[in-house]
């Protein structure tokens, strides 16, 4: 439960920073407004397992956008946790911005194969397959 403990500690820091910075609060609130609509549809995950798989041994930091980043040095993958909404994503830093997030198996989610045919994945489906809700401590 190491990653969960570190995540929880940093969430408190982000929330404290939000209370003291109105511009930062507005920015985060706007970003979360869209995510709130869909978070109930996201698969729940154990953040310890996600970090162990994609960013082992990492020490989380808070970036300038208030996101908690777990990244192993010299890795092209990082785990990005949204402190204020309780979500996590897996980001491939080698991919260009826009479709740089992966599923829980580390797969790119640009296309999907159905009935033997490949089609592009619409943005809404992409978002659902690459956003995950962080389980609460009592759910782990």
């Amino acid at each position: 439960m190491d990653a969960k403990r570190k995540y929880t500690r940093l969430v408190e820091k982000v929330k404290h920073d939000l209370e003291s910075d109105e511009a930062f609060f507005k920015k985060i609130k706007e970003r979360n407004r869209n995510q709130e609509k869909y978070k109930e549809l996201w698969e729940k995950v154990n953040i310890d397992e996600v970090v162990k798989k994609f960013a082992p041994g990492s020490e989380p930091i808070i970036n300038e956008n208030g996101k908690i980043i777990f990244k192993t040095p010299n890795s092209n993958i990082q785990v990005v946790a949204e402190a204020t909404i309780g979500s996590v994503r897996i980001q491939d830093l080698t991919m260009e911005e826009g479709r740089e997030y992966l599923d829980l198996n580390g797969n790119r989610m640009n296309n999907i194969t159905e009935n033997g045919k490949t089609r592009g994945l619409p943005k809404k489906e992409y978002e659902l397959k690459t956003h995950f809700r962080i389980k609460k401590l009592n759910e782990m």
Side-chain angles (χ1 to χ4, degrees):
M1 224 177 331
D2 197 36
K4 178 67 171 179
R5 191 174 331 112
K6 292 174 183 178
Y7 165 77
T8 302
R9 187 183 75 244
L10 291 179
V11 164
E12 292 305 316
K13 179 169 179 3
V14 170
K15 288 181 178 179
H16 178 267
D17 292 349
L18 284 172
E19 290 173 3
S20 60
D21 186 338
E22 189 173 333
F24 186 49
F25 176 79
K26 285 181 181 181
K27 179 180 176 181
I28 300 297
K29 187 175 180 178
E30 180 63 27
R31 185 174 70 210
N32 289 350
R33 193 172 49 126
N34 291 327
Q35 292 183 353
E36 280 289 340
K37 296 180 211 173
Y38 302 108
K39 77 177 191 177
E40 294 300 319
L41 301 174
W42 300 337
E43 181 179 349
K44 285 187 176 183
V45 298
N46 179 327
I47 192 169
D48 287 335
E49 293 171 2
V50 174
V51 169
K52 183 179 178 182
K53 183 174 181 177
F54 294 100
S58 60
E59 283 300 319
I61 61 161
I62 301 171
N63 74 6
E64 68 279 357
N65 294 317
K67 295 183 181 189
I68 299 169
I69 308 296
F70 292 86
K71 183 178 181 298
T72 304
N74 302 318
S75 173
N76 291 323
I77 304 292
Q78 67 184 15
V79 176
V80 181
E82 181 70 64
T84 57
I85 200 141
S87 69
V88 66
R89 297 179 90 183
I90 304 150
Q91 185 178 24
D92 182 341
L93 299 170
T94 66
M95 297 169 64
E96 71 180 59
E97 194 172 317
R99 291 281 177 136
E100 71 265 32
Y101 295 99
L102 309 173
D103 70 4
L104 288 175
N105 296 314
N107 298 316
R108 294 180 183 182
M109 298 308 304
N110 294 334
N111 299 310
I112 190 168
T113 302
E114 293 177 324
N115 301 322
K117 294 182 180 180
T118 301
R119 67 170 173 86
L121 200 61
K123 183 178 180 178
K124 188 173 181 178
E125 284 183 64
Y126 168 79
E127 297 285 327
L128 289 174
K129 292 184 180 293
T130 61
H131 275 88
F132 310 98
R133 284 176 52 203
I134 298 171
K135 288 182 179 180
K136 303 231 183 274
L137 197 54
N138 64 349
E139 298 174 308
M140 294 173 69

